[in-house]
Amino acid sequence: MSDTPAHPDGHGGATGSHSHDHADGHSHGDTSTRKLALVAVINLLGFLAELAGGLLFGSVALLSDAVHMLFDALAYVMAFAASYVATRYDTSDRYSFGLHRLEPLSAFLNGALLLPMVGFILYESSQRFVDPVAIATVPTLAIAVGGLLVNLLSVYVIEGGEMSLNERGAFYHLLGDAGGSIAVIVSVLAIEYTGIRVLDPITAGLIALVIVWSAGKLLRGSGRIFLHRTPLDVEAVREAIEGADGVARVADLHAWQICSEITIATTHVETDEVADGGALTKEIHGILDANDVDHATVELCPAGGGHAHLTAHDH
């Protein structure tokens, strides 16, 4: 039986050509951390401006967008902290993959934090339906436009290249914020020209729906990682491995993610008697690498040799 454990380069002893993956990952992690920090600062400033405007000028839509921006800013702070710690905490015997699981944990908490915000917005909107108030059009419109510019600047900072789970979470938040700012602008103009004040709480309710959509995206993305949803096409990978010379069949294949940037795979492969173990292991690692697997363990055993551990683990 040949057991090829994960090498420090993440691809087993048979290959040594993938050490660049970790250097690239660390570099991307630093870039991601800086982006999240900058976006957090931008949105905290935007929140303060919109909160002041909503309280001073009576717009619940602007106030709800301010609260949305506050929760987003807190989400970016959490994402920044998780990214900063994960990229600087080395692997150890106690944490063999470092603290990269902080990324999906942070994303999950960010999504969960969006939900109470929806309740607040809907409550405020219902109060304005009962008792509509006058809105100071010009200053409210000016602050809403400023909020939109903040969101667009943040989108410019965060987008580009392959985004991590936390960056994608921030991106979804920012799209929701931009939509909220546009909705506030439209509602203020509509109220100014029609005099229908209930358009303000209606707009706030629409922003709440956008927030629910954003929360759902984050919770699904992080939940898939926590529940070890397979991040690749298992059947296609299985067929590719079984197509390699010397492979009798793939007895076992598992793949999961530590975070959005680290994919793990293990496979138990039955081989023909004439198979070259070293060359075959290298080929299988190549197949897994082509499917974005960062760390792989490949176990080779002669076909028909019996595999008691598979039964014991209920594979």
Side-chain angles (χ1 to χ4, degrees):
M1 180 180 293
S2 172
D3 184 11
T4 308
H7 197 262
D9 64 11
H11 292 272
T15 61
S17 60
H18 299 282
S19 58
H20 65 276
D21 289 347
H22 291 279
D24 289 350
H26 186 75
S27 175
H28 183 269
D30 287 337
T31 301
S32 175
T33 300
R34 288 193 294 270
K35 285 182 178 180
L36 291 168
L38 181 56
V39 167
V41 171
I42 292 172
N43 280 266
L44 282 172
L45 295 175
F47 153 72
L48 291 174
E50 287 202 342
L51 176 65
L55 293 175
L56 290 172
F57 308 126
S59 171
V60 69
L62 189 59
L63 187 62
S64 67
D65 200 41
V67 175
H68 189 184
M69 192 171 288
L70 170 63
F71 273 81
D72 284 354
L74 293 176
Y76 305 145
V77 170
M78 290 174 58
F80 159 73
S83 179
Y84 183 87
V85 172
T87 54
R88 280 158 180 76
Y89 188 93
D90 239 349
T91 59
S92 67
D93 291 339
R94 189 177 294 271
Y95 296 101
S96 60
F97 287 104
L99 295 178
H100 288 283
R101 293 291 279 182
L102 286 174
E103 185 215 48
L105 175 60
S106 172
F108 183 86
L109 291 176
N110 288 345
L113 282 174
L114 286 170
L115 298 179
M117 179 169 52
V118 172
F120 170 80
I121 292 173
L122 292 178
Y123 172 78
E124 287 295 321
S125 299
S126 66
Q127 296 302 303
R128 292 302 175 90
F129 268 112
V130 175
D131 185 21
V133 299
I135 296 173
T137 303
V138 174
T140 300
L141 190 60
I143 293 175
V145 171
L148 177 60
L149 293 176
V150 165
N151 294 324
L152 293 178
L153 176 61
S154 299
V155 167
Y156 175 78
V157 170
I158 207 78
E159 68 91 29
E162 185 177 352
M163 292 187 287
S164 69
L165 181 62
N166 273 326
E167 285 178 299
R168 288 201 301 273
F171 187 72
Y172 293 138
H173 277 272
L174 291 169
L175 290 180
D177 280 344
S181 296
I182 292 172
V184 172
I185 293 169
V186 171
S187 71
V188 170
L189 291 174
I191 292 170
E192 175 68 15
Y193 288 103
T194 67
I196 304 175
R197 294 179 182 176
V198 293
L199 289 175
D200 184 52
I202 289 174
T203 301
L206 293 176
I207 293 173
L209 292 178
V210 173
I211 295 171
V212 170
W213 175 82
S214 299
K217 295 284 288 185
L218 278 178
L219 293 173
R220 283 195 301 272
S222 56
R224 287 167 182 165
I225 292 178
F226 275 126
L227 298 176
H228 287 174
R229 181 179 184 270
T230 305
L232 49 81
D233 187 339
V234 172
E235 287 306 312
V237 173
R238 186 188 301 273
E239 289 179 7
I241 294 175
E242 290 181 343
D245 290 338
V247 174
R249 75 182 185 100
V250 175
D252 194 37
L253 175 61
H254 294 285
W256 66 98
Q257 288 182 299
I258 298 297
C259 64
S260 64
E261 297 176 10
I262 301 178
T263 300
I264 314 296
T266 63
T267 183
H268 184 98
V269 178
E270 295 183 1
T271 64
D272 298 331
E273 293 182 2
V274 297
D276 181 342
L280 181 56
T281 299
K282 183 174 182 179
E283 184 176 356
I284 294 171
H285 275 297
I287 292 170
L288 294 172
D289 183 64
N291 284 273
D292 298 321
V293 172
D294 302 290
H295 293 261
T297 299
V298 176
E299 184 181 35
L300 304 181
C301 284
H307 313 291
H309 69 283
L310 292 181
T311 303
H313 290 283
D314 195 26
H315 294 286

